[in-house]
Amino acid sequence: AAGQWTLPSALRIARKGFRDLFSSELALELFGFDYVDARVQGSDELLRKLGVKDILLSDVLSVFEQHGSWLKQQSLEWKARFFAYIAVHDVPALIKAGLAKLPCVPTNTGDFVIPDQTSVFYPLSKGKKYGFEHELVIVDSELLEHAQQHSERVQNLFAALKVRRDDPYDLVTSHILPRHQGESWMTSEHKALIGHLRYVKDKLKEYLGGAAAAGKTEAQAFQALREGIWLGTKQNKDGSWLFNRADQLYLGK
């Protein structure tokens, strides 16, 4: 594509979507190959017989595996088009080839995490913050939204990469209650501790429904909250805000 002559084995056959993302110069820089010049006459079948290869799954995976720092520096629009490109291709084959074992899920901190090693959540509530989101790994919702404008299949891609919608019963039992065990809660920010309770209040119906589905009675579900969450009290001692369990507190006037 650069107008040079080279061995067929050093070239790739690439569809427009890939070439739009990776110019000849960029393909050479990242992957070490160039594309067959569009002016070359001959079918793809003939080119393959001469030794020209198609774009491989490993080429796509290498963007995450070998060029993660470069990927982070790309614009929001470029990354959105890249994820849309992946989404419209053979996602099951990419998963089988190891995509979920690579840092390929974008988070709201600008990093990419490995879905097989990290639980990633969609935002807990659209347009609302609870104050403990920093304790979770949240997907880059802005990037997701832009990518969906290019392809609706992006949602399926992120589902295949195990990005989770918050299940209130699961989140309470697997994150909030464990955070309030032992003494680790003492190092949590106050806004996070309050946020835990705000989340339970907003999602109480769903939490109770999940508990019932897990074989718990409503009384058992409330008991887990009552005995498991630290609540802020009206007491302040030497500048420290005192917390206690619900069954040790009284409602104020």
Side-chain angles (χ1 to χ4, degrees), residues 176-178 180-182 185 207 219-231 244-248:
I176 292 178
L177 291 178
H180 286 252
Q181 292 176 357
W185 67 275
Y207 166 75
Q220 289 174 321
F222 274 113
Q223 181 180 7
L225 298 175
R226 184 169 58 251
E227 298 178 354
I229 293 182
W230 289 98
L231 303 179
N244 213 328
R245 299 295 194 188
D247 57 0
Q248 300 297 312

Side-chain angles (χ1 to χ4, degrees), residues 67-83:
H67 307 295
S69 297
W70 174 87
L71 178 60
K72 287 182 184 180
Q73 297 172 2
Q74 302 315 298
S75 69
L76 174 67
E77 177 61 20
W78 191 95
K79 287 184 283 191
R81 290 192 294 114
F82 180 56
F83 276 99

Side-chain angles (χ1 to χ4, degrees), residues 130-222:
Y130 284 99
F132 65 93
E133 283 81 0
H134 63 283
E135 298 174 349
L136 305 171
V137 179
I138 306 291
V139 74
D140 187 337
S141 55
E142 185 180 13
L143 174 53
L144 173 61
E145 183 178 333
H146 276 72
Q148 286 178 308
Q149 293 174 6
H150 293 283
S151 173
E152 294 180 354
R153 295 190 192 178
V154 169
Q155 196 75 32
N156 296 332
L157 169 64
F158 278 70
L161 293 174
K162 305 175 186 177
V163 177
R164 300 162 59 182
R165 298 200 177 279
D166 67 303
D167 176 296
Y169 180 72
D170 175 58
L171 191 61
V172 169
T173 57
S174 67
H175 175 73
I176 292 178
L177 291 178
R179 292 285 297 194
H180 286 252
Q181 292 176 357
E183 297 185 353
S184 61
W185 67 275
M186 295 181 181
T187 60
S188 294
E189 296 180 16
H190 287 161
K191 68 176 183 179
L193 295 172
I194 295 171
H196 294 158
L197 193 61
R198 288 176 57 227
Y199 180 84
V200 171
K201 178 178 75 71
D202 284 357
K203 309 283 187 175
L204 184 60
K205 182 178 179 180
E206 294 93 331
Y207 166 75
L208 293 175
K216 305 290 185 181
T217 65
E218 185 171 301
Q220 289 174 321
F222 274 113

Side-chain angles (χ1 to χ4, degrees), residues 13-68:
I13 299 169
R15 299 291 173 256
K16 186 176 185 300
F18 192 89
R19 295 176 69 146
D20 286 344
L21 287 165
F22 301 97
S23 66
S24 288
E25 294 78 8
L26 189 53
L28 280 167
E29 177 186 344
L30 295 180
F31 310 117
F33 61 68
D34 199 354
Y35 309 117
V36 176
D37 195 302
R39 293 170 294 182
V40 172
Q41 296 185 13
S43 66
D44 288 351
E45 182 180 357
L46 174 60
L47 292 172
R48 292 185 184 103
K49 287 181 178 179
L50 291 174
V52 180
K53 297 179 181 178
D54 291 282
I55 297 300
L56 306 174
L57 294 178
S58 58
D59 297 324
V60 177
L61 296 181
S62 72
V63 176
F64 299 110
E65 187 173 20
Q66 301 174 23
H67 307 295

